[in-house]
């Protein structure tokens, strides 16, 4: 039987090629993901090792929050417990070879065009002090390091992007107006954040302290030990010198292990998500495998009957088919593993487009990864071929010799239909419950995933029942448009409902997921636009690109700009309510209504004043508040002097918007609850006809700082959709593999159907159907199957997106399911294109069959 299985693999290799491709793609996804995960973990460890190279002890400042103890200096900057005196004491310890004290911060560099070099908020604008000859992770590529207050250095890539050369004057900003310094050098670094697109600016130590801390203070102290000195013992010595509060010492190996553990956890989450999409691809591939072996068994029924007649048992027949599947799976898995290596190589740059900052490094190929890839591929192939193998074993020799490819018994289809109805009905009940949940808790999300899986599995089981009415309907159109070939295509699609259903189900799953994502993404974007339009009617929104916020004096500066009619400052603070942080927006209530649209249910903006606030309808319902209620407001951090407890009276209730989520009060009441007594933004209403060029004037009034973001109304609205579009593109790319595998399924079914119907095609040619008609018949059959899968998939995707809307409404009250008819039309057209493209090779092969030989075939 083993020799029989080997012979069958080589005898039918052309018919198994699509199955092998499906397995190969699925395994490539799995192996690529596993290799990618191992590679990133190894690269993170190497990057951590490089940044901590030679470091025996890392002393880090644990800065307390603003307003606590002596955390703030007279200029409002944080005060560090690590100072020059501590550095000198550590340097004097026995066993210490060198000490590297560092100061870290953020500096936004502007290019020669005046705009920030780094506009991606997912990436960072890093800044630190340059230590001549002591930074193992920095290397000069040109010039020298900064040594005076008027000098700086940049990483080479940032300098190139900005268009700066050695000797040029560089414009940058820390937390206010633009500053300038002379570029004296460029560096390269192994910091993965910089290699992923973040900028790095270097100052001399005194300048860095002046910009980010206080003279003589540091954020971190790296201690290098002498040869033979134990890192743990040296760490204990350093700890003995530290103050009781404000600093901690960790051994270099311990810190490297901790950072490696964090990197592994982050990478594991990403790897699990990618493996989920790989599982979808393999699941779809299982349909192709099952379809292929079902058709091969039908075509080889005489051969199986002869084996049974000469003494082969049912168990041996099953084993023969499973061995055949295992051999196909093994060969395809080996090819898939090799393809996965190439996939792993391109994953890192693709993921880094989102600002992930993954470090570069060589591919890491572990034996376990290779083994798992082969096991997964072989296991999926064998499991998918198990049911066809049982069907082969149940064929009676006499029945098999007298008939080929019998229709499935009515009883079997009846049981299948009842099971499908039960699964689909249960899934719909679960999703209807999710639709009314109005919550996005993890439990609800898991319930939604379970309900979606039930519906998809139910539709897969029901597909043979649904195929007849849907294909008959489509067949009427093909018959009317294409005549005899259209009718033949319909009849061929209906000839074996199970086969048609399995082929269409693979396409259905991919299109259902794509459709669901498309509808949800379009609905979220529409909700964001609706909320943005509702919450902001200003011409411009001025804000700081960092978390530093705007100085309260910015409002007056903007108001003096010619062409500005109204300026409304807003601040966002957080206070403690019932143990949970609650946001409150502060503004000038007398003018806020001119740039923001609020729908008050009770009260109005005029009622807001010192000690009087309005609350959103959602927060009011949650906290059981109404007009006249008193709200006890407490600081988020105990002991914060600037955030003394107070009582606020509710004077109005409005519909929640993006700009005013929980509560709205005056600037005086809200500023103490902000991080640094700064404004969140300033909304600007221009005078009629004065919007042209106003952005540049506003920038100039605020010192032309690269930190300033002056966004128009349209930019604010479109800004929220950018991240959604990026996520959707990534999801489409990941699901593209599943759709591609489903296309292979259509090609596979048609190709094997041509093998199966060779005599029939010869007879059609004999009675007058020409080669063009044969091609058209096969193409239309492919289109009919693809449209059947598309209708099921698009319909299921729309329902799942609608049912999941309750979770979205929990955070976006204006969320409504909006059907993007244009995108849905594109998906339907894609199904048509898949049908046409998938039929190219089978149709050409069918048309090229020799008429006489085809009639004589058995």
């Amino acid at each position: 039987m083993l020799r029989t299985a080997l012979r069958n693999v080589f005898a039918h290799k052309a018919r198994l090629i699509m199955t092998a491709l499906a397995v190969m793609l699925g395994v490539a996804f799995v192996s690529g993901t596993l290799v990618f995960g191992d590679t990133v973990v190894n690269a993170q460890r190497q990057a951590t090792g490089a940044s901590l190279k030679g470091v025996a002890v890392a002393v880090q400042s644990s800065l307390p929050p603003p307003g606590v103890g002596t955390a703030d200096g007279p200029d409002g900057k944080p005060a560090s417990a690590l100072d020059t005196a501590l550095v000198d004491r550590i340097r004097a310890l026995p066993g210490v070879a060198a000490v590297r004290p560092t100061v870290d911060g953020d500096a936004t560099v502007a290019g020669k065009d005046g705009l920030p070099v780094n506009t991606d908020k997912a990436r960072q604008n890093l800044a630190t002090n340059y230590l001549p000859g002591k930074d193992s992770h920095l290397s000069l590529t040109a010039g020298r390091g900064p040594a005076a207050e008027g000098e700086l250095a940049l990483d080479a890539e940032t300098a190139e992007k900005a268009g700066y050369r050695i000797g040029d004057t560089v414009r940058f900003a820390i937390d206010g107006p633009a500053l300038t310094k002379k570029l004296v050098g460029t560096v390269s670094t192994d910091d993965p954040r910089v290699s992923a697109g973040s900028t790095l600016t270097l100052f001399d130590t005194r300048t860095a302290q002046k910009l980010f801390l206080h003279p003589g203070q540091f954020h971190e102290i790296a201690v290098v030990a002498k040869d033979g000195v134990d890192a743990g013992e040296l760490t204990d010595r350093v700890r003995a010198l530290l103050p009781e509060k404000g600093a901690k010492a960790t051994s270099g190996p311990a810190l490297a292990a901790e950072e490696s553990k964090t990197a592994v956890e982050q990478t594991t989450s990403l790897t699990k998500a990618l493996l989920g999409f790989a599982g979808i691809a393999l699941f779809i591939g299982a349909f192709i495998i099952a379809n292929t072996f079902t058709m091969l068994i039908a075509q080889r029924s005489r051969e199986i009957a002869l084996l049974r007649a000469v003494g082969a048992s049912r168990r041996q027949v099953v084993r023969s088919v499973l061995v055949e599947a295992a051999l196909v799976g093994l060969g395809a898995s080996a090819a898939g593993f090799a393809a996965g290596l190439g996939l792993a190589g391109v994953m890192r740059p693709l993921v880094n487009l989102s600002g992930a900052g993954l470090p570069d490094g060589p591919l890491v190929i572990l034996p376990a990864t290779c083994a798992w890839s082969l096991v997964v591929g072989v296991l999926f192939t064998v499991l998918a071929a198990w049911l066809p193998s049982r069907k082969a074993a149940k064929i009676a020799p006499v029945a098999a010799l007298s008939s080929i490819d019998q229709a499935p018994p009515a009883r079997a289809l009846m049981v299948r239909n009842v099971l499908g109805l039960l699964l689909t009905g249960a899934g719909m009940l679960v999703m209807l419950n999710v639709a009314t949940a109005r919550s996005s808790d993890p439990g609800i999300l898991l319930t939604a995933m379970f309900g979606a899986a039930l519906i998809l599995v139910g539709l897969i089981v029901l597909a043979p029942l649904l195929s007849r009415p849907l294909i008959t309907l489509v067949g009427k159109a093909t018959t009317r448009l294409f005549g005899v070939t259209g009718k033949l295509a319909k009849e061929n699609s209906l000839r074996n409902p199970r086969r048609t259903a399995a082929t269409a189900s693979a396409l259905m799953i991919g299109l259902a997921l794509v459709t669901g994502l498309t509808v949800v993404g379009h609905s979220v974007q529409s909700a964001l636009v609706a909320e943005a339009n509702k919450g902001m009617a200003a011409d411009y929104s001025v804000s700081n690109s960092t978390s530093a916020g705007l100085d309260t004096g910015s409002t007056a500066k903007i108001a003096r700009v010619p062409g500005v009619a109204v300026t409304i400052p807003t601040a966002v603070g957080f206070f403690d309510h019932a143990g949970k942080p609650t946001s409150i927006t502060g503004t000038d209530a007398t003018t806020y209504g001119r740039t923001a649209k609020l729908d008050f249910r009770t009260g109005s903006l005029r009622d807001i004043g010192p000690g009087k606030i309005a609350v959103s309808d959602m927060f009011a319902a949650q906290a059981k508040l109404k007009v006249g209620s008193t709200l006890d407001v407490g600081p988020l951090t105990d002991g914060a002097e600037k955030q003394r407890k107070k009582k606020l009276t509710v004077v109005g209730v409005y519909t929640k918007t993006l700009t005013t989520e929980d509560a709205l009060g005056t600037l005086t009441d809200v500023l103490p609850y902000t991080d640094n007594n700064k404004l969140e933004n300033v909304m600007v209403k221009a005078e009629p006809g004065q919007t042209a060029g106003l952005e540049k004037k506003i920038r100039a009034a605020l010192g032309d700082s690269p930190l300033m973001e002056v966004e128009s109304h349209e930019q604010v609205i479109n800004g929220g959709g950018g991240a959604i579009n990026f996520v959707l593109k990534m999801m489409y790319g990941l699901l593209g593999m599943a759709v591609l595998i489903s296309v292979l399924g259509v090609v596979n079914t048609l190709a094997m159907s041509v093998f199966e119907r060779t005599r029939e095609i010869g007879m059609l040619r004999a009675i007058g159907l020409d080669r063009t008609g044969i091609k058209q018949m096969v193409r239309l059959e492919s289109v009919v199957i693809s449209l059947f899968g598309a209708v099921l998939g698009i319909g299921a995707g729309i329902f799942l997106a609608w049912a999941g809307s309750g979770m979205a409404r929990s955070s976006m009250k204006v969320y409504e399911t909006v059907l993007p008819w244009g995108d849905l039309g594109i998906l339907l057209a894609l199904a048509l294109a898949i049908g046409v493209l998938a039929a190219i090779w089978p149709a050409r092969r069918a048309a090229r069959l020799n008429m006489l030989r085809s009639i004589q075939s058995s």
Side-chain angles (χ1 to χ4, degrees):
M1 296 303 293
L2 177 61
R3 288 196 297 270
T4 301
L6 288 170
R7 182 189 63 79
N8 285 331
V9 170
F10 289 105
H12 302 98
K13 53 183 178 292
R15 307 186 194 189
L16 292 169
I17 187 170
M18 293 302 168
T19 296
L21 279 175
V23 176
M24 184 192 77
L25 290 175
V27 171
F29 210 152
V30 172
S31 64
T33 299
L34 293 175
V35 171
F36 165 74
D38 294 335
T39 299
V40 170
V41 169
N42 181 68
Q44 291 277 20
R45 287 173 177 164
Q46 289 183 344
T48 300
S51 63
L52 295 173
K53 183 180 179 181
V55 176
V57 185
V59 183
Q60 297 168 319
S61 173
S62 51
L63 296 175
V68 177
T70 58
D72 287 350
D75 55 0
K77 294 177 182 176
S80 174
L82 310 183
D83 54 19
T84 303
L86 179 60
V87 172
D88 292 337
R89 291 198 299 271
I90 294 175
R91 186 179 286 114
L93 284 174
V96 174
V99 177
R100 297 203 306 264
T102 57
V103 181
D104 299 316
D106 296 307
T108 302
V109 178
K112 287 195 171 183
D113 57 1
L115 299 176
V117 176
N118 179 19
T119 58
D120 190 340
K121 293 183 180 180
R123 297 182 173 93
Q124 298 172 275
N125 297 299
L126 307 171
T128 189
N129 60 317
Y130 178 78
L131 298 174
K134 296 180 181 179
D135 265 343
S136 60
H137 61 287
L138 290 175
S139 301
L140 281 171
T141 57
R144 59 176 176 82
E149 185 174 357
E151 300 175 346
L152 60 74
L154 297 171
D155 68 279
E157 188 173 350
T158 297
E160 183 179 354
K161 286 181 181 178
Y164 289 127
R165 296 183 179 180
I166 302 298
D168 287 347
T169 299
V170 177
R171 294 179 66 255
F172 68 97
I174 302 298
D175 59 1
L179 304 173
T180 58
K181 293 186 186 296
K182 182 181 178 181
L183 180 65
V184 296
T186 58
V187 301
S188 62
T189 176
D190 53 15
D191 190 326
R193 297 172 297 178
V194 178
S195 62
S198 296
T199 64
L200 176 63
T201 308
L202 301 167
F203 307 95
D204 67 283
T205 299
R206 288 187 178 181
T207 302
Q209 290 172 335
K210 181 179 178 181
L211 292 172
F212 306 117
L213 276 173
H214 300 283
Q217 294 183 353
F218 304 94
H219 286 106
E220 186 172 354
I221 303 172
V223 182
V224 180
K226 292 180 180 179
D227 293 339
V229 176
D230 182 71
E233 293 180 2
L234 187 57
T235 302
D236 292 336
R237 296 174 195 168
V238 172
R239 284 194 182 119
L241 299 178
L242 300 182
E244 293 183 2
K245 296 181 179 181
K248 66 175 182 177
T250 310
S251 69
L255 185 61
E258 183 180 339
E259 293 186 2
S260 295
K261 181 180 178 182
T262 303
V264 170
E265 291 174 351
Q266 294 173 344
T267 305
T268 300
S269 300
L270 178 60
T271 302
K272 287 181 179 178
L274 292 174
L275 285 175
F277 286 95
I280 294 172
L282 284 170
F283 182 67
I284 292 176
F287 287 94
I288 302 176
I289 299 167
N291 231 11
T292 300
F293 279 93
T294 298
M295 297 175 76
L296 281 175
I297 287 166
Q299 294 170 19
R300 286 159 35 195
S301 57
R302 294 193 181 205
E303 176 186 329
I304 295 171
L306 287 172
L307 288 173
R308 293 292 310 282
V310 297
S313 66
R314 289 188 175 186
R315 183 172 296 180
Q316 286 179 312
V317 172
V318 170
R319 287 177 181 174
S320 175
V321 175
L322 294 183
V323 167
E324 186 178 343
L327 292 173
V328 173
L330 184 62
S333 298
F337 176 76
L341 300 182
L343 186 63
V346 301
M347 276 188 178
R348 188 193 66 85
L350 289 176
V351 173
N352 275 344
L353 290 175
S354 64
L358 300 180
D360 197 4
L363 289 180
V364 176
I365 306 171
L366 300 179
T369 300
C370 179
W372 274 112
S373 299
L374 296 178
V375 168
V376 167
V378 172
L379 188 62
F380 258 86
T381 309
V382 170
L383 288 177
W386 181 67
L387 285 177
S389 70
R390 286 177 57 84
K391 181 181 179 182
K394 290 179 180 179
I395 297 177
V398 176
L401 289 171
S402 62
S403 178
I404 297 177
D405 194 21
Q406 291 180 334
R411 182 179 177 184
L413 285 177
M414 178 64 70
V415 173
R416 176 171 179 155
N417 294 339
V418 171
L419 178 62
L421 287 171
L422 290 175
L423 289 172
T424 306
M428 293 183 71
L429 288 176
V430 171
M431 293 308 296
L432 289 174
N433 179 61
V434 170
T436 59
R438 298 293 190 273
S439 173
S440 57
D441 294 338
I444 297 296
L445 181 59
L446 289 175
T447 303
M449 293 173 65
F450 176 69
L454 281 178
I455 289 176
L456 291 179
V457 172
L459 287 177
I460 291 170
V461 177
L462 275 178
L465 176 66
L466 298 174
S467 63
R468 183 163 295 279
L470 290 178
I471 290 178
T472 300
L473 182 63
V474 175
K476 289 183 179 180
T478 58
T479 303
R480 182 179 295 273
L481 293 173
F482 301 99
V484 174
T485 56
K487 186 174 183 179
L488 287 172
K490 181 195 74 172
E491 295 300 328
N492 289 334
S493 301
L494 292 173
R495 177 179 298 184
N496 193 322
R498 287 185 172 183
R499 181 187 305 168
T500 300
T503 306
S505 294
L507 184 60
M508 177 200 73
I509 297 171
L511 288 181
L513 296 176
V514 171
T515 300
L517 281 176
T518 301
V519 174
V520 170
H522 189 79
S523 300
V524 170
Q525 287 178 323
S526 298
L528 288 174
V529 171
E531 287 204 352
N533 280 324
K534 187 176 183 180
M536 176 186 171
D539 294 309
Y540 290 98
S541 174
V542 184
S543 60
N544 193 316
S545 60
T546 69
S547 59
L550 294 174
D551 192 58
T552 53
S554 301
T555 306
K557 294 178 182 178
I558 298 173
R560 290 193 291 268
V561 173
V564 172
V566 182
T567 56
I568 294 89
T570 60
V572 177
F574 291 88
F575 61 84
D576 177 77
H577 176 70
K580 295 181 180 179
T582 303
S583 67
I584 180 169
T585 302
T587 187
D588 181 359
T590 60
T591 57
Y592 190 67
R594 297 188 62 178
T595 57
K597 302 174 183 177
L598 283 181
D599 180 19
F600 272 84
R601 296 188 175 185
T602 57
S604 66
L605 281 171
R606 294 188 299 273
D607 298 324
I608 298 175
K612 300 177 181 180
I613 64 170
V615 295
S616 70
D617 51 355
M618 295 183 70
F619 179 59
Q622 182 182 17
K624 297 180 180 179
L625 299 172
K626 60 182 180 179
V627 173
S629 299
T630 301
L631 188 65
D632 291 324
V633 175
L636 289 178
T637 305
D638 293 335
E641 296 178 2
K642 295 181 181 179
Q643 297 180 337
R644 289 190 294 269
K645 291 185 178 181
K646 61 174 65 176
K647 291 183 179 292
L648 300 175
T649 303
V650 177
V651 295
V653 178
Y654 59 86
T655 302
K656 177 182 174 180
T657 68
L658 284 177
T659 54
T660 49
E661 293 191 6
D662 295 329
L664 179 66
T666 64
L667 280 176
T668 305
D669 287 332
V670 173
L671 280 174
Y673 294 93
T674 62
D675 288 336
N676 46 16
N677 282 290
K678 295 290 183 71
L679 301 175
E680 179 80 8
N681 61 9
V682 177
M683 292 186 287
V684 178
K685 191 77 173 176
E687 294 178 354
Q690 297 295 316
T691 54
L694 191 58
E695 176 185 351
K696 292 184 178 179
K697 295 178 184 178
I698 294 174
R699 286 185 177 276
L702 297 177
D704 204 16
S705 171
L707 294 176
M708 293 301 106
E709 288 188 345
V710 184
E711 297 179 299
S712 66
H713 184 249
E714 291 75 17
Q715 289 173 324
V716 171
I717 292 175
N718 295 332
I724 296 173
N725 284 330
F726 181 82
V727 172
L728 287 176
K729 287 178 182 177
M730 283 195 65
M731 300 285 274
Y732 288 152
L734 293 171
L735 290 174
M737 184 75 76
V739 175
L740 176 59
I741 293 176
S742 65
V743 173
L744 294 179
V746 180
V747 176
N748 182 66
T749 298
L750 291 174
M752 297 199 62
S753 181
V754 169
F755 277 112
E756 191 176 82
R757 304 198 317 252
T758 300
R759 175 182 289 183
E760 177 184 319
I761 292 172
M763 291 296 294
L764 290 173
R765 290 290 313 282
I767 61 177
L769 192 62
D770 58 11
R771 293 179 185 270
T772 302
I774 295 293
K775 287 183 180 180
Q776 189 177 75
M777 178 188 69
V778 176
R779 280 197 297 265
L780 288 175
E781 182 180 350
S782 177
V783 168
V784 167
I785 294 174
S786 298
L787 282 178
F788 171 50
V791 170
L792 284 183
I794 293 174
I798 291 174
F799 175 77
L800 293 176
W802 170 82
S805 61
M807 293 184 290
R809 288 196 188 97
S810 65
S811 56
M812 287 186 292
K813 192 170 183 179
V814 298
Y815 180 92
E816 291 182 359
T817 302
V818 179
L819 297 183
W821 294 108
D823 293 342
L824 296 180
I826 291 175
L827 290 178
L828 196 60
L830 175 64
L832 284 171
I834 288 173
V836 174
L837 294 175
I840 291 177
W841 177 57
R844 283 174 57 86
R845 187 190 180 281
R848 295 171 65 180
L849 289 175
N850 183 280
M851 180 172 58
L852 295 179
R853 290 179 182 174
S854 298
I855 294 174
Q856 293 173 354
S857 66
S858 58

